[in-house]
Amino acid sequence: MKKTMKKMMMTLFMATVALAASAQNEIGQLTLQPKLGINLANITNMEVVTNPFTDETEKSNIKSDFAVGVEAEYGLTKKFSVAAGILYSRQGTDFGTYKIYGGAGGALSGGWDKYEYNMGYLNIPIVANYYFAEGWAIKAGIQPGFLLSAKVKVDGVGGTPSVDTDVKDDSKTFDLAIPLGISYEFSNFVVDGRYNLGLTKINKNGDESYKNNVIQFTFGYKFSL
């Protein structure tokens, strides 16, 4: 019985090693990877007035949303590869809940239950990958992005109907970011984490320079072409 268990464990171990080995970068290999992920996005330097009586402001907060797309990768050497993708990425920011008390007897006079910027981009990440250990790769590159939609959604307090305002005309259509990240691949499944540092101003008006900052986690499946 013990010998049988040892053989089974050894077989399982060898199969695991074989699967891991098959997931490594190969010279001249072209792969395609559909992926789906989560964005933790923010817009830097953005503030809104939270109290018109005192001119108090609140800075933007991290907003969670999603990304979906596909990435192609080509192996240059055992250690290096290049990849390019197309991702629909929902980004933006929000300001949480804020209530203003200034009415008669300290009554609620305004505010919102939700205040968020919803930005939709078509991003094209182009990165170089360095496979520094079995299954592990670090990556860096450049990511041009094209604005598809931009809306501000405000849900007022006390059951006030929500207002969805299109602000695409006030936003620049091109965005440029630097993606930096790390990924782990096992049996053709890939978990990828990146920080997309926005370089360009996304607003057309005002003296402030608003920029996209996005932490992105994706899960994909890589297959050879």
Side-chain angles (χ1 to χ4, degrees), residues 1-222:
M1 184 66 178
K2 288 184 178 181
K3 289 184 178 180
T4 302
M5 287 297 294
K6 286 183 179 180
K7 287 182 179 180
M8 290 177 63
M9 293 297 292
M10 183 59 70
T11 302
L12 181 61
F13 174 76
M14 294 301 294
T16 301
V17 171
L19 285 171
S22 67
Q24 301 311 298
N25 190 54
E26 297 292 339
I27 300 174
Q29 177 179 265
L30 180 63
T31 63
L32 201 63
Q33 181 195 157
K35 54 170 58 181
L36 177 66
I38 296 173
N39 287 337
L40 301 176
N42 201 353
I43 299 176
T44 62
N45 301 320
M46 182 174 282
E47 294 181 342
V48 295
V49 176
T50 55
N51 193 328
F53 303 106
T54 61
D55 291 329
E56 292 179 47
T57 61
E58 181 184 345
K59 292 184 178 181
S60 58
N61 301 308
I62 290 175
K63 174 182 180 291
S64 60
D65 223 306
F66 74 93
V68 61
V70 65
E71 183 176 89
E73 182 179 353
Y74 182 78
L76 299 174
T77 70
K78 284 285 187 179
K79 295 284 188 179
F80 288 97
S81 72
V82 292
I86 299 177
L87 288 173
Y88 174 67
S89 182
R90 289 265 298 182
Q91 300 169 194
T93 190
D94 73 41
F95 295 92
T97 300
Y98 198 89
K99 294 177 172 61
I100 302 169
Y101 296 89
L108 180 65
S109 64
W112 56 79
D113 288 323
K114 180 183 289 186
Y115 189 129
E116 61 183 11
Y117 276 73
N118 296 313
M119 318 285 284
Y121 284 90
L122 184 67
N123 289 333
I124 305 175
I126 303 167
V127 298
N129 301 298
Y130 173 65
Y131 287 84
F132 64 93
E134 190 172 279
W136 292 93
I138 54 175
K139 54 197 65 195
I142 194 166
Q143 177 179 273
F146 302 92
L147 183 67
L148 301 179
S149 62
K151 292 185 177 182
V152 177
K153 183 177 181 180
V154 181
D155 293 339
V157 297
T160 304
S162 63
V163 178
D164 213 1
T165 306
D166 194 310
V167 294
K168 187 177 180 182
D169 289 341
D170 300 321
S171 308
K172 293 190 175 182
T173 56
F174 180 76
D175 182 46
L176 187 64
I178 294 179
L180 303 168
I182 188 169
S183 66
Y184 179 68
E185 180 181 347
F186 180 78
S187 190
N188 296 97
F189 290 99
V190 182
V191 179
D192 189 305
R194 300 184 189 183
Y195 175 59
N196 296 323
L197 175 64
L199 298 180
T200 53
K201 181 179 177 179
I202 66 171
N203 54 305
K204 289 182 179 178
N205 307 312
D207 296 329
E208 292 290 348
S209 180
Y210 303 151
K211 296 179 181 180
N212 285 311
N213 274 342
V214 181
I215 298 173
Q216 186 176 84
F217 300 98
T218 59
F219 181 75
Y221 184 80
K222 183 189 290 188

